[in-house]
Structures are given as C-alpha cells and as structure tokens.
Amino acid sequence: GGYPKFASLEIIRSQHFPADWQGRVVTCDFRANRVTSFSITDQGAGYITKQEVDICRTSNNTFRPIDVKLGPDGALYIADWSNPIINHGEVDFRDPRRDREHGRIWRVAVKGKAGFKNPALAKAGTTALLNELLSPNHFTSSQANRLLVEKGSATVAPELKTWTAQLKDEKQLLAALWIHQSLNIPAPELLTRVLAAKDGRIRAAGVRVLSHMNVPSPIRLADPNGTVSTYLSDADTAYYQGSTNPRLAQLVADPHPRVRMEAVRMAARYPHLKSVEQVLSAVDGIGADTFLDYAVWLSINELAQPFLAMLESGAWSPDSPAKQQQLEFAMKSLDPALASSSVAKILAAKPLTKDGAGPWIELIGAAGGPAEINRLWEQVAKQDFSDAALIRAMNALASAARLRGVKPAGDGSRATAFFYYATAPQRVAALDLMGAWKNPGAAFAEMVKLAGDEKTPAEVRTAAFAAFRELGAIGPVLGALQPLAAKTSPAPVRRAAAVTLASLQPAKFADLALDELAETKTDAEALDLWRAVLATKGAAKQFGEKVGSRTALPPHVASAGLRAAREGAQPDATLVASLTKLANITALSPDKLTPAKLKELADLAVKSGDPARGERVYRRAELGCVLCHSIGGVGGKVGPDMTSLGAAAPADYLVESVLLPNAKIKEGYHGITIETKDDLEYNGILVREAGQEVVLRNAQNQEVSVAKANIRKRANAQSSLMPAGLIDTLPESERNDLVAFLSRLGKPGDYDASKGGVARVWRVLPVTHRMGQDGLAPFVKGDFTGKWDQFHSGFSGGLAWGTLNTLVNGALPKSDFVEMGKAPLHVTVNHLVAGTTFTASKAGVVTLTLEGSDNPDVWLDGKPVKPATNGEIKTTVAAGAHTIVLRFDVQRPPAATRLRSADVTFSLQ
C-alpha cells in the first residue's frame, strides 16, 4: 500500500521452487533496478502482503525489469527493458541516452536443479489435458485450460463428464468447475459439491461461479438438498441463484468471511427485497473487516432503489438494535441526494436523540430539506444535544449552507449563546456556522467582541476572523475590523484584523498587513500570513506594487513571501522581483540553465555533495519537501513519490526538476486552479469530485473542499505546484548536498526505503509532572494501557502529540528528539513518549528489534516489556493492530532510535 509503482505480477506456482515459495508474489520494481517478492496471508475477507527477499537487485541503472512469468520448465523469466532512461513525459524522447536497441531476458532457476521437460500439450488428447488442469505448475495448468477452451465444449464435454465423476478432492472439484465455466457448460451438481466444501476459500470460489452463471432457461439445477430438480423456469432460476433462495442466507452467514463477501456481491445482482435483507444482515459486526464492509457498501448502493422503497413503505423496519446498525450503515453508504426523501419520511416520526446517535445529523446536513434543517437548528439553539453532538450538528448545518445553500429561517442571533459559555470546539463550530450562513444578525456584535478580546483562546479567535473573511467585504465587517487593526490593539488581535482586511480589500489594506508581516519572528509565521493575504484574487498584483515601494523588509519575511507568491497559479512578476531583492537572493537565471549547464551542476553535486547533509536539507520545514513528497510511503501526496528517484532518474534530470520545476511536469501531477465567487483562489491536485464539492490537495498537503455552487472559474494550472526558486536561498554547498541525497534514493544502502520492516512514523509527546495534576498521571507513571492514543490535544502548557517521520534508513535522530523536547516558558519537560503502530497478519510470535536506544521504558499494547540486551523483543501477539510506546529521559535522548521487524507491517500514518 505504501509503494508507488510495480510492473507486472506472477504468483509462484511451480514445483521447481522450494515449498516456502509457493504462493509468493513476484513483481518488478523497475525504478529501483530490482525484482522483489511478497508473501500473502489471509486477512478477513481479503489479504495482506509482507515484503520478502529480492529475487535480484543491482546498482546498474540499465536494469529495468518490466515483466515476470513462469516458463514451461518451471523457472521464472524476467523481461528487462534495459534502459537508463525510464521517464516518459519528463525526459525528451530524443534524449541520446535512451537505448533503442537492447533488451534482455533473464532466467531465474534454483541452483543445481534441472528444469522440467517441456510438456507436449499441443499434441495431448482431451483427457490428458484435463489431467494437466490438476498440475501444481501454473504454466502447465493454464496452458491446458487454454487448449481445452480452444477445442470447444462440443469436443470436450463427453470426456469432461467422465473425468469429473472420478474426482473427490475439493481442489480438484474446483478445477473441474472452472473448466466447466470456461466452456460455458452448466454443472449444477458439481457446483453444489463445491459450495459444500470444507475449505472456505473453495466455497468462496464456488459462490463467485454461482454469481456469474448466465445460463439459458430451462436448465437442470440441483436444489439445496443436492437432488436434481425438474426443468426450471426463469423465476425458479432466480430463486436458485439469488433473491429468494434460502441458500443465499446460508452463504451470507457462512463462517468464512470471503464466502460472506462473495455472497453479498452476488445478492446485488438480484434487485429484490430479500436480496436487500441478506446484504444488510452482513452489516452485523461492521468495522472488523474492511473488505467485507466495502462489499456491503457496493451492494447496498446497487440495491438502493429496492432498499429505499421498502424502507419508505414500512416493508423493512429498524425495530431492533441490529437493524438500527444496518440502517445507519446503509444510509451512510448511499448518495445523500438519493436518500433525502427517505430521510424526511423517517425523521418525521423519529426524534433526534440527545446524544445524536445514528447517521441522522450528518444526513440532514448532506440531504435534508428546509424542514429538516430548521428542525436541527432548533434543537441546536435549545442546546438539546450532548457536547459532542452539538459540534456535529453545527458542522452539518455549515456544510448544508456551503454546499447546498440550504439554511434555516431567520438569522444566527441565537448562536451568541455559544460564544462564551461553551467549550472551545463548540465556539469554533458556532463561529464557522456564522461564516457559512453569512447572516449572523445580532450575533455579529458579539463576534466582534470575542475577536477583540485578548483573553479569547487562539483557536477561537482564528475562527472568528475566518468567519469575517467569509462574510466578505461588506460595510459592517470592514467597519468592525479597522479599529481592531489599530496599533492600540493587542498584537494577536491586530495581526489577525490586518491580515483579514488585506485579504478582503488588498488595494486598500496591503500596507497594514505588510507592517504586521515585518514584525513576525519566524519563517513559518510569516509564510502563514503571506498565504492568507495572497489567497485573494488579484492580491499578488496589489502587494507587488506596495512591496516594490518598500526599502526594507526582514529577509526571512521576504523569503517566505517569495515562496507564497510562487505557489500561485500565475505568480506576479513584480512581487516576485521585489521580494527576491529584499530577501538578498541571487537566483539562477533559467536562460543560463542549458542542458550542458545542468549536466555540469549534476556532476558537481554527485562528486562533492554529502547525501547525509542533503537529507537534513530535504527535511527542513521551510522547504516543504516532506509536505509534498513521500519516501517509503511516508510524507505528502502532492508531488511524485521519491522512494526510488535516484535509481530511476539521471542526476541532471534531478537538478532540472529542482531548479526549473515548471520545465516538465510529471504526468498526473498537473494541478487545477479554482476561482470562487467570493474572490478566493485555490491551486492544487484534484483529489475527488462528487456531489456538491470539489476537493483539492494544495501545496501544504492539505485537502481543501470547494463548494461547486461557489465556483466562478476553473482551469488547468499552467505551472507546477512546486514553487520555482524554492532552493534559491540555499548556498551552493547545500544545493549539492540536496542533489546528492536525491540521487542516492532507491539505491542499495542507507537511502533505500523501498522495503518495509521498519517503523517510519512516530507520534511523540513531551511529558511534564503537571500532567499528573490534569488527570493525566498515567503519562507520568508510565501506565499507557488503552490511553496513549486518546490524549492528542489540550495538554498543560500547550503540549500535545506531534508527529515525527524517520530518516530514510528508519532512524529517529537525536536532533528531532531535542527539538520535540523544547517546551513553552515555565513548563519543564521530563520525558519524551514516542509511539507507533503495527499490524500482525496472523497470531503468533513476532520479533521486534529496538536499535540505538539506551534502555528506554517500553510498553506493548499498554503492558510493560523488557528488551533483551541486543534490543530484541520477542512476544506473542494476536492478529491485527498493536501499539508500542517508548519513554526516554529528555536529558539523555538517544543518538538515534530505530525499530525494525520482519514479522509485522508498520503503519505509515
């Protein structure tokens, strides 16, 4: 799941290979010059894979395996494209380094073991070919199947009947069923035997065949008792196969999850009330098996019409806890627009519970009409919900307003009750709702008071000013914000007011924002402010004129502005030039970056650059590389995956991509630009488009939802989301280090993240003694049982969980621990707690190895464990997800910490 691309796939089914290789998947990693393998294990109704050994690996960048297949001799054959250049869109087709003549085929065999004699299948008779269907060698069995199909059913059928009658083994019966299916010969008696197999996997395969039986009627079928019935009508055939068949109920309740999944999908082929009931019955225990959940989701969508019809008619009633769970899952699965009429009818006789149980709050937001929206708001205004349900309800109301333009009658005056006497999340939700409604009424004055109060929590103040921005450049907003932007206002209030005014009317208030920007202390703070003011259409031009007249601006502010300006779809040339000058940056001229110059820079970087230093450059927050790109499945999804970049691309291509990101944009990473009716501009990669919204992923790796109703203009972006000039601020030595690091990615050694087996994402928490006073004593004492993942925000002194990604080699460096251990003023951090999760594909003994740490406290699923002197932790775990937590003395952080295991799969989130 975490790796971007493989080419081809073969499953080892050959007696030439050892027993422990049977069933293993082999695939080609053409970027990293290797052919690798994965083992497969059942996981619920589906499977999980685990990285195993490489078949072959080389540092020679001309080895480009693109296909693998088992041959007639049982050996594995690899088709090697044999080319140093693999990029299509980025590297010119006329690039002289392309090899247009050579290619190789490699044969991989067990050393000292002869291959099989090539079976003479072309001359074999029908019975001989049928016997070869049972061969454990895939090449032989698949070719025999192909030849039998070419012979045709009329030729094969007589001997097939005799051959099938002699079979008793379940796997052999399945092979016989498959050849019947290939030849389109009905075999009801055989199918009945397969469906009664002891092996659940074989029963599942039988259900798959049953669900695809497209046989003419009348036909002979076996009834559930195994006896042969008379000729059946079309209605009887439907009974046997699907909607009204008692056998379907048995299959949906089968003990093997894959049988249940296949039965759920089969039921969707028959739009009948009974089919709906059978699909919904599989919802019991939902959440435990994502594969089965998805099958139910698919089927209930395909059966939406009969389901909603029987729901509205009362033919099916959620009159038990199990059915209520089924109803909740079904309603969440359906398109809200499709379910809207049913929502109204159901809610007409059903009160919304105080705890907001069920899907109804979100369904009202997604599909409810004015009556349902009014009803939800009335219950919110009366505060007749629990704390959590209140937030859900206000979020649903805001969503209905933004995406569908549906709002309750009247204004938001009654929202005032939430501004002062509520939890911070409720206050944030109420303010967000006022922005979405654009009609706060008497609540507006209270919003202004709240925004201007120095004691207002930061997240609440941010929500208030975001609401003002959404209300727009109307008189009351501009009139209220200008006093807040005065020099006499508290700094946080003044800054937020100035930025909001500048985003509403940049021509008039740009100077206010620039004055506040000049006071920022950090790159991150300045970048956030720049992004806020430049998000407005036309703001870059207005700021360009203002910045050009300024003689001074702190270099870090100018650099941050330069990055924000270049993130736009069409950067303003005046603003870019002015900020470049103020930042004291000497940019490389694109005109001088000829192919020869790029080659010269690449050779210098590879020769003199230090990849270890380059990795530290890559990880700098101000560059944003980690936000946009993934390595080993960890990182952003805005730009291309970097895992095997160095093995896949020539060094001069890397230099060009970094210095001239707009020269060639990788296929699939062309962004889009959206301009909204309230004068905002969004740039990003399209994530999804459904219903009433378009979701983009922006340059900060954030998903942004834009209401379709609010879109004024939409176009394909003409530039890369990676800002040009991103590394202009780096000295030449650091540029060389960065390129050296990128050029090593994917090659064997410390910069190879293509394999799993190492923890790459950790959640880290600074622990203080004050936590004991806040009811968080377990974190002080070390008792993490069932608690560590619950406390993710709101700690004393502003402490909260943070996320650390490891180096490419899987290590957490000391510098990261030191930075994470820094605490706000007057708060002392005593320990650092780091946790990560992993999944065991099956129950049993696993070995985890902790490297580089000096006897930290360790908990596995809340229970203390003691690593051996070599760092090994051997323990028995159940199948599924597990959590391991480490605690370090903040005064003695480890030089580097790495957790690895060949027995589990570590989480990438």
Side-chain angles (χ1 to χ4, degrees), residues 154-412:
T155 301
V156 175
E159 292 179 63
L160 175 59
K161 182 177 181 181
T162 302
W163 179 77
T164 301
Q166 300 171 353
L167 304 178
K168 291 184 171 41
D169 179 82
E170 291 180 353
K171 289 184 68 174
Q172 294 178 352
L173 291 173
L174 180 58
L177 180 63
W178 279 339
I179 190 61
H180 277 84
Q181 187 182 22
S182 296
L183 292 164
N184 206 22
I185 299 174
E189 299 91 341
L190 176 59
L191 177 57
T192 297
R193 294 177 67 187
V194 169
L195 290 173
K198 294 180 180 179
D199 190 327
R201 298 170 301 171
I202 291 177
R203 295 198 303 276
V207 180
R208 174 72 66 92
V209 173
L210 177 61
S211 68
H212 288 86
M213 283 178 63
N214 294 311
V215 291
S217 182
I219 56 175
R220 290 178 65 84
L221 293 172
D223 66 22
N225 296 320
T227 58
V228 178
S229 69
T230 57
Y231 284 94
L232 301 178
S233 65
D234 288 333
D236 291 332
T237 302
Y239 167 87
Y240 182 84
Q241 287 183 299
S243 58
T244 59
N245 184 6
R247 170 168 283 167
L248 179 59
Q250 297 170 8
L251 295 172
V252 171
D254 192 276
H256 197 288
R258 201 164 301 137
V259 179
R260 299 199 296 274
M261 180 180 71
E262 294 287 355
V264 162
R265 295 301 295 130
M266 181 178 76
R269 293 168 62 89
Y270 303 94
H272 191 282
L273 299 186
K274 288 290 185 183
S275 299
V276 174
E277 288 183 345
Q278 300 301 342
V279 170
L280 288 177
S281 70
V283 170
D284 298 337
I286 211 75
D289 189 328
T290 56
F291 303 98
L292 183 56
D293 290 359
Y294 182 57
V296 175
W297 183 90
L298 283 172
S299 293
I300 202 61
N301 271 277
E302 293 172 25
L303 296 169
Q305 295 298 343
F307 166 65
L308 294 174
M310 74 181 195
L311 184 61
E312 293 183 21
S313 68
W316 186 86
S317 175
D319 51 10
S320 67
K323 284 193 171 183
Q324 289 171 8
Q325 182 189 24
Q326 294 169 14
L327 175 63
E328 180 177 351
F329 184 88
M331 297 302 282
K332 285 183 177 179
S333 300
L334 298 178
D335 186 323
L338 190 64
S340 59
S341 62
S342 298
V343 170
K345 291 180 181 179
I346 294 171
L347 287 177
K350 180 182 178 64
L352 291 170
T353 60
K354 190 174 181 67
D355 64 357
W360 309 113
I361 288 176
E362 284 72 22
L363 281 170
I364 289 174
E372 291 74 47
I373 291 292
N374 271 309
R375 177 180 170 184
L376 182 59
W377 171 236
E378 284 298 318
Q379 193 161 339
V380 168
K382 294 175 182 177
Q383 299 192 38
D384 190 24
F385 279 121
S386 65
D387 289 350
L390 273 173
I391 297 171
R392 289 172 51 208
M394 285 190 279
N395 289 341
L397 289 167
S399 176
R402 289 193 179 100
L403 299 182
R404 302 190 292 119
V406 184
K407 309 171 188 177
D411 59 31

Side-chain angles (χ1 to χ4, degrees), residues 419-420 427 431 445-453 456 460 464:
F419 292 166
Y420 296 100
R427 297 159 79 182
L431 290 163
E446 298 301 320
M447 293 168 63
V448 176
K449 290 180 184 178
L450 193 64
D453 189 343
T456 298
V460 177

Side-chain angles (χ1 to χ4, degrees), residues 12 133 136 245 317 346 352 394 479 495 521 535 539-540 543 569 602 624 634 660 663 680 752 859 873:
I12 298 297
L133 294 176
N245 184 6
S317 175
I346 294 171
L352 291 170
M394 285 190 279
R495 180 165 296 171
K521 302 300 182 185
F543 272 83
V634 175
L660 301 172
L680 288 174
D752 176 19
W859 291 262
I873 302 170

Side-chain angles (χ1 to χ4, degrees), residues 34 310 344 530 571 875:
R34 66 177 184 143
M310 74 181 195
W530 274 113
T875 185

Side-chain angles (χ1 to χ4, degrees), residues 1-4 629-637 641 643 753 760-761 908-909:
Y3 199 80
H629 299 279
S630 289
I631 297 178
V634 175
K637 310 298 181 185
D641 187 279
T643 304
R760 296 195 174 277
V761 181
L908 298 177
Q909 296 180 346

Side-chain angles (χ1 to χ4, degrees), residues 576-907:
V576 169
S578 298
L579 289 171
T580 300
K581 182 179 179 180
L582 291 170
N584 299 319
I585 293 174
T586 302
L588 292 170
S589 173
D591 296 337
K592 295 182 179 180
L593 293 176
T594 62
K597 181 62 175 179
L598 292 172
K599 179 71 165 56
E600 177 187 334
L601 293 173
D603 291 343
L604 177 64
V606 172
K607 181 180 179 180
S608 64
D610 183 324
R613 292 197 304 260
E615 182 169 15
R616 291 195 289 273
V617 174
Y618 177 88
R619 288 161 62 87
R620 287 182 188 169
E622 62 268 25
L623 292 182
C625 303
V626 175
L627 272 179
C628 290
H629 299 279
S630 289
I631 297 178
V634 175
K637 310 298 181 185
V638 180
D641 187 279
M642 311 282 268
T643 304
S644 298
L645 183 68
D652 57 340
Y653 161 72
L654 302 180
V655 172
E656 182 184 42
S657 297
V658 171
L659 296 178
L660 301 172
N662 294 317
K664 294 157 186 166
I665 304 175
K666 186 173 178 61
E667 182 182 358
Y669 292 93
H670 290 79
I672 63 173
T673 300
I674 290 179
E675 178 186 321
T676 65
K677 295 175 182 176
D678 50 358
D679 290 328
L680 288 174
E681 284 187 338
Y682 297 96
N683 301 295
I685 301 294
L686 181 65
V687 176
R688 60 184 177 276
E689 181 175 357
Q692 297 93 15
E693 67 178 343
V694 176
V695 179
L696 304 180
R697 188 181 300 279
N698 64 18
Q700 294 85 59
N701 198 36
Q702 301 164 332
E703 287 194 5
V704 179
S705 171
V706 184
K708 287 184 178 179
N710 192 33
I711 294 177
R712 177 189 293 149
K713 183 180 178 182
R714 171 176 171 175
N716 292 328
Q718 301 303 308
S719 59
S720 169
L721 285 185
M722 178 178 171
L726 189 60
I727 66 169
D728 285 350
T729 57
L730 299 179
E732 181 181 0
S733 61
E734 290 190 347
R735 293 177 192 171
N736 290 337
D737 292 340
L738 178 61
V739 173
F741 166 67
L742 296 177
S743 69
R744 292 288 299 276
L745 285 173
K747 295 178 180 177
D750 283 343
Y751 303 99
D752 176 19
S754 60
K755 293 185 177 181
V758 64
R760 296 195 174 277
V761 181
W762 292 83
R763 293 185 64 200
V764 181
L765 174 73
V767 177
T768 75
H769 283 304
R770 287 177 58 179
M771 291 182 177
Q773 302 168 14
D774 296 337
L776 300 176
F779 286 88
V780 180
K781 298 177 181 178
D783 175 16
F784 297 93
T785 308
K787 300 182 179 68
W788 88 279
D789 196 39
Q790 298 174 15
F791 306 107
H792 52 79
S793 63
F795 292 107
S796 294
L799 298 177
W801 289 107
T803 300
L804 288 181
N805 297 337
T806 70
L807 298 175
V808 175
N809 66 4
L812 275 178
K814 180 178 180 178
S815 57
D816 284 359
F817 281 110
V818 171
E819 185 64 29
M820 188 63 72
K822 294 179 180 178
L825 194 64
H826 306 308
V827 178
T828 301
V829 175
N830 304 102
H831 295 91
L832 282 172
V833 172
T836 191
T837 58
F838 63 85
T839 300
S841 60
K842 56 185 178 181
V845 176
V846 300
T847 299
L848 303 157
T849 302
L850 186 61
E851 300 174 344
S853 295
D854 184 18
N855 297 319
D857 299 319
V858 183
W859 291 262
L860 181 60
D861 295 333
K863 298 178 180 178
V865 294
K866 184 68 174 175
T869 53
N870 61 356
E872 283 192 354
I873 302 170
K874 285 192 175 182
T875 185
T876 301
V877 299
H882 301 272
T883 298
I884 185 167
V885 177
L886 317 177
R887 186 176 64 172
F888 305 96
D889 186 333
V890 76
Q891 301 301 323
R892 296 186 296 109
T897 296
R898 186 166 78 149
L899 180 67
R900 59 181 175 83
S901 175
D903 303 327
V904 303
T905 301
F906 288 99
S907 172

